[in-house]
Amino acid sequence: MKKQTLILLAILSLLSMTVYADTVAYWRFENGPGNVTKPFGAVDSSGNGYNMDPWTEGDWAGFAYSTDVGGATVNGASNNYSVKNTGGYPGMATETGAGIQTIAPEAFTIEASFKLENGGYKTIVGRDSRGTATTNGDLAALYFQAVPDNGLAIKFCDVSGYWHEAIAAPGS
């Protein structure tokens, strides 16, 4: 076969593959105004039941709703609120035992809308854990985060314990 025919066959093979892309969780913050409270600070709009709550309700690790949003709609739905950290150690998590922690995708995509604030490390989406990375047991399994000087990073540990990271330049 000619080289062009092989390339065409390879492209057709790729086009014929079925790609499955199910949404695991989709959190909106439309319950405002006021403080984000338990239970269900953010209901999982995907229908999978992976609702998310603030770590605490208050100044230590809490959140408040904000009207500072990037646009009037997201995916065709009204977009009235975002969340803003109210403490020094903010965190939101899905309910313990919800099952989301057992998901092991071969590939994944994270979509997030956020506003950068200059400063230190700020995890936008993460998977908390300890002991997964062979290089440093204190690293969590996944960080999609803002890094100092307004750069972005994706960092994760694969199932074999190997650490991967891609860090954009400051100000990117």
Side-chain angles (χ1 to χ4, degrees):
M1 288 186 164
K2 293 183 179 178
K3 185 176 181 179
Q4 293 84 357
T5 306
L6 288 175
I7 292 171
L8 178 60
L9 288 174
I11 291 171
L12 290 174
S13 295
L14 288 174
L15 292 174
S16 67
M17 290 181 187
T18 304
V19 177
Y20 297 97
D22 294 329
T23 299
V24 173
Y26 176 46
W27 299 293
R28 296 177 41 83
F29 301 100
E30 293 299 300
N31 297 346
N35 288 329
V36 179
T37 58
K38 296 176 179 258
F40 312 140
V43 174
D44 178 8
S45 298
S46 75
N48 292 327
Y50 300 130
N51 301 316
M52 193 165 41
D53 288 328
W55 189 357
T56 63
E57 295 178 30
D59 291 339
W60 188 73
F63 291 84
Y65 293 102
S66 171
T67 57
D68 187 7
V69 296
T73 62
V74 173
N75 294 332
S78 64
N79 186 38
N80 298 304
Y81 295 102
S82 61
V83 290
K84 173 79 174 148
N85 303 341
T86 59
Y89 299 96
M92 281 197 188
T94 57
E95 301 161 346
T96 302
I100 197 170
Q101 62 270 31
T102 63
I103 296 170
E106 291 182 26
F108 60 90
T109 300
I110 298 171
E111 295 182 30
S113 177
F114 57 94
K115 180 180 179 181
L116 282 177
E117 294 180 350
N118 205 20
Y121 294 90
K122 295 177 174 88
T123 299
I124 300 157
V125 175
R127 167 62 171 98
D128 199 14
S129 65
R130 289 187 63 126
T132 57
T134 56
T135 57
N136 180 346
D138 290 332
L139 294 171
L142 169 73
Y143 301 95
F144 173 54
Q145 65 185 178
V147 295
D149 298 323
N150 289 335
L152 291 175
I154 181 74
K155 305 172 184 179
F156 68 96
C157 182
D158 66 23
V159 295
S160 298
Y162 295 108
W163 186 250
H164 306 269
E165 59 183 48
I167 304 170
S172 59

